[in-house]
Amino acid sequence: DAASWLLGGIEVSKYCAVDMNTMIALGDAIGGVDFDLDMSYTGHSGKKYYTGMQHLDGLEIMDYLRARKNATRAGTDIGRTGRQRALMVAIFTKIRENPELIFNVLSVLADEKETMLTNVTAEEMTLYTSSILAIQPSDIGSFVMTGSYNTALDGWNFTFTDQKARLELIKTAFGVEVEPIPYVSRKYCTWLVDTGF
């Protein structure tokens, strides 16, 4: 609902999300992944990592996906999401090159002790698998809505979306024009506090 609102009402018809513990299980289920680390850092697990090509198991995948405040390069939310996308493409590439691994992935996702939020049925997931595996890794891309990072509402930190950039992104990605959201601003948040809301 929040993504659809930010996209000006464009429906997000299918979604799938897992928590970090489930990412550990998924990483282990595919036998880990080879990945070129772009920074040295200490992970949330306490393990130290060094720049360069590494073979990451499930826990090590999770450490990299979570790196933000402990990141030694681009330690912001946008920096972290960029690293996450790069690692997810590497994971996808491994599964695409070893399609038998999809059964391991589906087994983890079917496990009731793992956390997955989705509105995709098991039948749809099975149906989509061959189409997903046909995607070329080079065709996977992303768009990032940017904005200014400010403190508002008595000490909370927010990224206030740049409305002009938001409208251009939606037009480019979806080919539609939507309305700006006028009350996504530090000025509006200041007004909320000043008026007692």
Side-chain angles (χ1 to χ4, degrees):
D1 289 344
S4 177
W5 169 78
L6 193 59
L7 292 171
I10 294 170
E11 181 185 4
V12 178
S13 58
K14 299 292 179 187
Y15 62 88
C16 184
V18 297
D19 69 10
M20 289 297 178
N21 289 327
T22 302
M23 275 308 303
I24 295 171
L26 287 169
D28 287 340
I30 65 167
V33 67
D34 293 332
F35 189 71
D36 193 6
L37 292 179
D38 61 341
M39 64 180 178
S40 297
Y41 66 102
T42 301
H44 283 77
S45 67
K47 181 175 178 172
K48 294 193 182 304
Y49 298 89
Y50 301 95
T51 304
M53 186 58 75
Q54 311 282 326
H55 182 79
L56 305 177
D57 66 16
L59 179 66
E60 294 162 340
I61 288 170
M62 186 271 300
D63 270 348
Y64 189 73
L65 292 175
R66 289 189 67 190
R68 183 178 57 114
K69 290 183 180 178
N70 58 333
T72 58
R73 182 178 162 278
T76 63
D77 283 333
I78 290 177
R80 175 172 56 182
T81 58
R83 287 189 296 275
Q84 289 171 340
R85 284 190 301 275
L87 183 53
M88 294 306 294
V89 169
I91 291 169
F92 170 78
T93 301
K94 178 170 183 179
I95 295 169
R96 188 176 185 279
E97 291 171 356
N98 303 276
E100 69 280 1
L101 293 176
I102 199 68
F103 298 109
N104 299 11
V105 170
L106 293 174
S107 177
V108 168
L109 296 178
D111 189 334
E112 291 182 10
K113 76 178 190 299
E114 300 300 342
T115 303
M116 181 175 71
L117 306 171
T118 187
N119 66 344
V120 180
T121 67
E123 293 79 21
E124 288 172 326
M125 208 170 281
T126 303
L127 181 65
Y128 296 153
T129 299
S130 60
S131 298
I132 291 170
L133 292 177
I135 296 171
Q136 294 294 322
S138 59
D139 290 335
I140 298 173
S142 62
F143 293 92
V144 178
M145 283 193 195
T146 59
S148 59
Y149 189 71
N150 287 294
T151 301
L153 295 178
D154 288 335
W156 289 84
N157 294 322
F158 295 90
T159 298
F160 294 99
T161 305
D162 177 322
Q163 289 300 306
K164 183 178 178 192
R166 173 184 163 266
L167 298 179
E168 290 171 6
L169 183 151
I170 293 169
K171 177 75 173 168
T172 300
F174 297 99
V176 298
E177 294 184 10
V178 298
E179 295 296 317
I181 305 172
Y183 49 90
V184 177
S185 67
R186 187 171 192 280
K187 181 178 177 182
Y188 179 71
C189 286
T190 301
W191 176 81
L192 289 173
V193 172
D194 290 347
T195 57
F197 283 97

